[in-house]
Amino acid sequence: MITLAEAKVGMSDKVDQMVVDEFRRGSWLLDNLIFDNAISPGTGGSTLAYGYVKLKTPSTAAFRALNTEYANNEAIREELSAYCKPFGGSFKLDRVIIKTAGTVDELNFQLREKIKGAVNLFHYTVINGDRALRPDEFDGLDVFLTGSSTEYNAGGTAFDISSSTLLDSEYNRFLDMMDEFVSGLDDTPTAFLANTVLANKVKGVARRAGYYTRMEDAFGRAVDAWNNIPILDMRQYWNGTASVPTIPIDATSGTTSLFAATISEDGFHGISPTGSNVIQTALPDPNAPGVLKEGDVELVAGVVLKNSLKAGAFRNIKVR
């Protein structure tokens, strides 16, 4: 397992190190996610598949009467496959712009904006990725958790915290539901993942209940938390034509979901090809033939959930 910070140590190129830091600055999740860099494409045209065994149903214990046998009960595992997928983007600059005084800023601007776009896409896919619908992407938490035992309040009545008045009157009941939700997980979550609207609502409940805490990320920036569990605002997703919540809000009911995940080797983690080059960068070469010089940034990665009790989804929270 490797983090982006550890991957950076193995890079000799200063630009590559800068790019890794930009990804880390742009995403608490990417900075804290661990990657199993065990996928080898081989020589036969691999599909970048990652095979793993998931604990589906744990074993149980029971009492027995004297002179009787235990009823057999086994833990159930299933063999699954996940896939690394390449994602990122490229940009072109005229060689005149590159060689003109002060244009290093333009190159940096394009590079940083491309990194932001890749982070934006990663956040969206971690939640909404669905290979069955869009084969070029990896599966996300919504696919992993739909129908699982840690999908909380999936068929229940929408819980309304859409106004300050409702937050004042309902925050104690929300606390009870949050306790039930978290207690259904196998471990304390590493983080909660929410869209901007719900993140603000959860922080509002935390302040009213005395659960609101703050911590610092690796770059010294404040991170809002629920009883020391970071509340990650997954923000908006720019789909090329419009900004939409990264975690969708139903247009009719005004409901959304809160996700929780435990980042660990046996829980929720990233996957990547062998080596430390999770992120690849190519800068425009001003001395190459042609007037337009191309650069690109690319990640080859995916995510897996090895234990269904290491993540959960709190459904039907009304925020609008």
Side-chain angles (χ1 to χ4, degrees):
M1 295 284 180
I2 192 171
T3 64
L4 289 187
E6 291 166 340
K8 174 189 169 184
V9 174
M11 296 177 176
S12 58
D13 190 286
K14 297 297 184 182
V15 173
D16 288 340
Q17 293 179 2
M18 180 276 289
V19 170
V20 170
D21 275 345
E22 285 299 308
F23 274 101
R24 293 176 59 209
R25 288 177 188 275
S27 171
W28 186 99
L29 182 60
L30 271 172
D31 189 30
N32 288 271
L33 196 63
I34 55 176
F35 292 85
D36 190 355
N37 57 338
I39 299 175
S40 178
T43 58
S46 171
T47 56
L48 293 175
Y50 177 88
Y52 66 102
V53 176
K54 178 180 179 180
L55 177 63
K56 188 175 183 181
T57 306
S59 184
T60 60
F63 293 99
R64 70 173 183 89
L66 292 175
N67 300 314
T68 63
E69 295 288 344
Y70 289 110
N72 292 334
N73 178 277
E74 291 81 28
I76 299 175
R77 297 181 296 175
E78 58 180 339
E79 294 184 3
L80 297 172
S81 294
Y83 296 85
C84 274
K85 296 291 183 177
F87 61 99
S90 60
F91 58 91
K92 289 184 178 180
L93 291 174
D94 193 290
R95 66 184 178 191
V96 173
I97 295 177
I98 295 176
K99 292 184 176 181
T100 301
T103 55
V104 173
D105 290 341
E106 178 64 21
L107 179 57
N108 284 338
F109 172 75
Q110 294 298 336
L111 183 60
R112 293 176 193 275
E113 288 300 304
K114 194 59 65 179
I115 292 170
K116 289 179 183 178
V119 168
N120 194 225
L121 179 59
F122 179 77
H123 283 177
Y124 184 82
T125 311
V126 160
I127 300 297
N128 305 292
D130 189 341
R131 288 186 59 249
L133 296 177
R134 298 171 293 274
D136 289 339
E137 63 190 32
F138 53 83
D139 285 332
L141 284 170
D142 198 58
V143 167
F144 295 149
L145 296 171
T146 297
S148 73
S149 63
T150 54
E151 189 181 29
Y152 179 74
N153 200 42
T157 304
F159 187 80
D160 194 347
I161 51 172
S162 57
S163 68
S164 292
T165 301
L166 286 168
L167 281 174
D168 288 338
S169 62
E170 296 293 328
Y171 77 86
N172 277 313
R173 193 156 71 94
F174 187 77
L175 286 174
D176 292 340
M177 296 182 77
M178 282 287 284
D179 284 343
E180 288 182 8
F181 170 51
V182 172
S183 67
L185 305 179
D186 196 32
D187 204 350
T188 302
T190 305
F192 292 118
L193 286 66
N195 57 47
T196 301
V197 178
L198 180 56
N200 288 332
K201 301 292 185 184
V202 171
K203 286 185 282 187
V205 171
R207 282 192 292 268
R208 288 166 172 80
Y211 275 39
Y212 179 75
T213 54
R214 301 190 91 183
M215 55 188 64
E216 287 188 353
D217 66 9
F219 299 94
R221 298 172 301 189
V223 178
D224 298 311
W226 172 287
N227 199 23
N228 296 317
I229 302 173
I231 305 166
L232 303 187
D233 181 356
M234 302 297 279
R235 302 190 180 278
Q236 296 287 106
Y237 171 64
W238 174 251
N239 60 16
T241 56
S243 287
V244 297
T246 297
I247 301 177
I249 301 174
D250 187 271
T252 302
S253 65
T255 58
T256 188
S257 298
L258 176 71
F259 291 87
T262 300
I263 298 173
S264 64
E265 291 186 25
D266 63 344
F268 178 71
H269 67 77
I271 55 175
S272 61
T274 54
S276 60
N277 292 324
V278 180
I279 299 169
Q280 300 284 342
T281 308
L283 292 182
D285 181 1
N287 298 314
V291 296
L292 296 179
K293 311 303 180 182
E294 186 171 356
D296 62 66
V297 177
E298 182 176 73
L299 284 78
V300 183
V303 294
V304 296
L305 179 61
K306 288 182 175 174
N307 185 335
S308 58
L309 297 179
K310 294 286 188 178
F314 187 159
R315 306 290 194 186
N316 286 318
I317 305 174
K318 181 174 173 59
V319 294
R320 286 181 178 168

